[in-house]
Amino acid sequence: MASVDSGNETQVSLNVMPMLDIFSILILFLLMSFSADPVSHDVNSGVELPQSITLLSLDELPTIVISKNQIYVNDNLVVTLVNGDIASMETNKIFHKLDVELEKIAESGKKFVKENSDLSVLTFEIDKTKKYKIIKRVMLSAQQSEYSRFKLMVEKQSG
Amino acid sequence: MSRKKKHKVNQMGAPIDLNIMPFIDVFSLLCTFLLFSAVFVTIGITEVQAPFLTNAVQKKSDNKKDENKKSLPIFVHISKNSVSIRSASPGEAEKTSSFSSDKNGLLAFHQNLVSLKEKFPDSDKATVLTEEDVDYSSMIFIFDLIKFHNLAASEENKSNSLLPKIVLGDIIL
């Protein structure tokens, strides 16, 4: 930790204590802010969540992601939106794939989950700019697959 | 503020320095790891449900029980520029109140819901009908106004809930 100035032979030491202080405080802060939520999830890059005062934490990963230009079901791209909207002519054709995917999930859920478990819940990750028109259409597909309760992901407001 | 440096001295009389470099290395690695893995955005959820329809005939005794209950069917209609509440108190004509979507309008909307809840404390459900051009962030903001009594307080306080159940009335096949 100490170095010697060869010219004058005076001992110069670097004081690392302030750096250690900063490090300690930084680690303490990071450990405190470390998420204690049961599920840790990285939000899709095309999704900006709206803020809410809810305190309910995310307890399962989202099944449906509606980003700015895509709709994913279990991380599989199902629908590509044109300018963030659906081309009205092809609505039924586009959403047929979504219906099929959701039906598959509902069927597999029935096979692998215990009898008493609640299968009717679906978690959504939706971009805050999305119009209700698209959300409603996706929810209708979900309802067709016997999902009746929806969990909408939001960003918890701090303070 | 100044501190006197105290050096321990070994048997030969030379000062002993504590080697803190490994300590700093561990701290650096720990900091890097925590910075990468830290989640600064806390994710929450808002629960909503689709309407539950049944063909079952309601028993007469149930109807009597409902009359005694101090609950009221509340319908909220959200459009791009306004929000309205439709409710029908028992024995009274249906009443609709409309509010603009600006800050004051939404505050008045919330106050109206609070006064309805005070009159009918058993009410815990609002059926929400939303127009297709309303964006998701506006919907969530209005859901918060419907669900929570005190908008500054947290949900930890159970008494904070206003109408905790939100039914999306237009999700009907």
Side-chain angles (χ1 to χ4, degrees):
Chain A
M1 293 310 302
S3 64
V4 177
D5 185 350
S6 56
N8 299 324
E9 293 199 357
T10 50
Q11 205 168 28
V12 181
S13 66
L14 182 69
N15 189 5
V16 290
M17 290 314 285
M19 191 173 82
L20 281 179
D21 290 347
I22 292 168
F23 263 34
S24 311
I25 291 165
L26 190 61
I27 283 181
L28 197 70
F29 164 75
L30 287 170
L31 282 172
M32 292 290 281
S33 66
F34 206 75
S35 176
D37 291 343
V39 176
S40 173
H41 170 67
D42 289 328
V43 179
N44 187 296
S45 56
V47 175
E48 211 179 322
L49 295 174
Q51 289 200 330
S52 168
I53 58 167
T54 185
L55 272 192
L56 292 175
S57 295
L58 183 71
D59 53 0
E60 60 182 81
L61 292 174
T63 311
I64 298 180
V65 177
I66 306 177
S67 72
K68 286 187 172 73
N69 289 313
Q70 283 102 14
I71 299 175
Y72 298 88
V73 177
N74 270 351
D75 288 337
N76 299 320
L77 179 64
V78 176
V79 179
T80 304
L81 304 168
V82 183
N83 297 326
D85 206 348
I86 321 152
S88 58
M89 293 295 284
E90 295 177 3
T91 306
N92 289 332
K93 192 179 155 191
I94 288 169
F95 280 97
H96 176 67
K97 205 177 165 188
L98 180 73
D99 296 341
V100 172
E101 284 292 324
L102 285 170
E103 197 68 45
K104 272 187 206 168
I105 293 170
E107 284 301 317
S108 58
K110 279 173 196 168
K111 279 181 197 169
F112 296 108
V113 181
K114 290 174 192 171
E115 277 183 22
N116 297 331
S117 306
D118 193 0
L119 272 174
S120 62
V121 187
L122 207 58
T123 306
F124 283 77
E125 181 182 327
I126 307 169
D127 182 67
K128 68 178 183 183
T129 57
K130 282 273 109 16
K131 300 285 179 205
Y132 184 60
K133 181 185 176 184
I134 294 168
I135 301 168
K136 183 181 169 183
R137 184 61 190 82
V138 177
M139 283 181 175
L140 282 169
S141 290
Q143 203 196 24
Q144 207 171 357
S145 305
E146 296 176 23
Y147 289 102
S148 58
R149 284 171 55 212
F150 308 119
K151 289 178 180 174
L152 308 175
M153 268 173 62
V154 288
E155 183 188 325
K156 278 187 196 173
Q157 247 172 31
S158 52
Chain B
M1 291 301 286
S2 63
R3 282 190 227 159
K4 270 191 178 177
K5 267 192 175 177
K6 285 179 184 174
H7 288 285
K8 279 192 175 178
V9 181
N10 67 6
Q11 285 176 340
M12 304 295 286
I16 302 168
D17 263 337
L18 183 68
N19 186 7
I20 55 168
M21 284 313 284
F23 180 60
I24 292 173
D25 288 348
V26 171
F27 257 39
S28 312
L29 287 172
L30 193 60
C31 262
T32 315
F33 166 74
L34 286 171
L35 277 169
F36 271 104
S37 60
V39 180
F40 296 103
V41 175
T42 330
I43 299 168
I45 48 159
T46 291
E47 283 194 58
V48 293
Q49 59 190 72
F52 180 73
L53 303 173
T54 177
N55 291 330
V57 182
Q58 213 175 14
K59 289 177 185 174
K60 278 191 175 179
S61 56
D62 289 345
N63 285 339
K64 274 191 178 177
K65 217 184 268 178
D66 284 348
E67 279 170 21
N68 295 331
K69 263 179 127 184
K70 289 183 175 178
S71 69
L72 175 80
I74 298 169
F75 293 86
V76 175
H77 187 271
I78 307 172
S79 66
K80 206 169 184 182
N81 301 315
S82 68
V83 192
S84 59
I85 303 170
R86 183 160 54 88
S87 59
S89 312
E92 283 180 32
E94 203 173 74
K95 194 181 157 190
T96 306
S97 318
S98 289
F99 309 90
S100 60
S101 287
D102 59 5
K103 197 181 170 185
N104 292 332
L106 290 173
L107 200 66
F109 162 77
H110 179 67
Q111 288 304 325
N112 199 302
L113 284 176
V114 171
S115 60
L116 278 175
K117 176 75 175 180
E118 280 166 3
K119 278 183 197 168
F120 304 93
D122 288 337
S123 296
D124 63 347
K125 187 177 84 178
T127 304
V128 178
L129 302 158
T130 313
E131 282 186 9
E132 290 189 338
D133 59 345
V134 176
D135 57 36
Y136 180 54
S137 60
S138 309
M139 279 172 64
I140 293 292
F141 185 70
I142 291 167
F143 288 174
D144 278 354
L145 295 175
I146 297 169
K147 280 191 165 198
F148 303 108
H149 196 284
N150 185 354
L151 299 173
S154 66
E155 203 187 334
E156 277 170 341
N157 180 8
K158 289 285 178 191
S159 62
N160 190 23
S161 65
L162 187 62
L163 301 166
K165 289 179 191 168
I166 289 185
V167 179
L168 298 175
D170 39 17
I171 307 294
I172 300 174
L173 288 169

